[in-house]
Amino acid sequence: MTTTATTRRSTGLFADGSRLLRLALRLDAIVTGANGLLYLALAAPLQDLLGLDTGTGRALGAFLLLYAAAVWVISMSARPRRGAVTAVIEANALWTALSVITVVAGWFSLSTVGAVWAVLQAVVVAGFGALQYTALRRTR
């Protein structure tokens, strides 16, 4: 009797670390860019809703648009550069931490809705960072 070993090869999105990484980066860039546009376009209504000063909201919006563009550029390579991806992951970790600290420390006098929004943003950004970290490890 002969025994034949079979190997299962994963296919699809999660099998290719580079493909997953590019997707994670692009999703991050799209969500971040949309968020930045909202902060810029709706600074006045968001001031009432979130308790975020219009000047601060516009500054955050401009920053987020620039950051989103940088993340998108990084995602364009077939094999995104490890150092650039690591910088994105670290920036996402920093944003997550600062969002939570902002709420706890009461830095911007956010409304209750604003505080909940900041924490929800932190969760989403942490999720992008975790997905990017996982995908980066799969590219080895």
Side-chain angles (χ1 to χ4, degrees):
M1 178 178 267
T2 305
T3 304
T4 305
T6 59
T7 58
R8 294 187 88 199
R9 184 176 180 146
S10 296
T11 58
L13 177 63
F14 297 105
D16 180 0
S18 292
R19 185 173 165 206
L20 177 60
L21 182 56
R22 287 190 318 272
L23 176 65
L25 290 167
R26 288 178 182 173
L27 287 173
D28 187 352
I30 291 167
V31 170
T32 300
N35 201 19
L37 283 173
L38 288 174
Y39 278 125
L40 280 173
L42 302 175
L46 287 177
Q47 179 177 3
D48 296 335
L49 181 65
L50 304 178
L52 186 65
D53 177 73
T54 56
T56 303
R58 286 189 181 111
L60 280 172
F63 169 78
L64 290 174
L65 282 175
L66 291 173
Y67 179 76
V71 173
W72 187 269
V73 168
I74 292 166
S75 80
M76 296 302 292
S77 173
R79 293 189 58 88
R81 292 184 44 209
R82 192 167 207 73
V85 174
T86 299
V88 170
I89 294 166
E90 290 171 352
N92 283 341
L94 180 61
W95 181 275
T96 299
L98 289 175
S99 294
V100 173
I101 291 168
T102 295
V103 171
V104 172
W107 283 345
F108 291 115
S109 302
L110 298 174
S111 66
T112 301
V113 172
V116 169
W117 176 250
V119 171
L120 288 175
Q121 268 189 6
V123 169
V124 170
V125 172
F128 283 135
L131 182 59
Q132 291 156 355
Y133 177 78
T134 300
L136 183 62
R137 289 184 49 90
R138 289 182 185 212
T139 61
R140 290 184 179 183

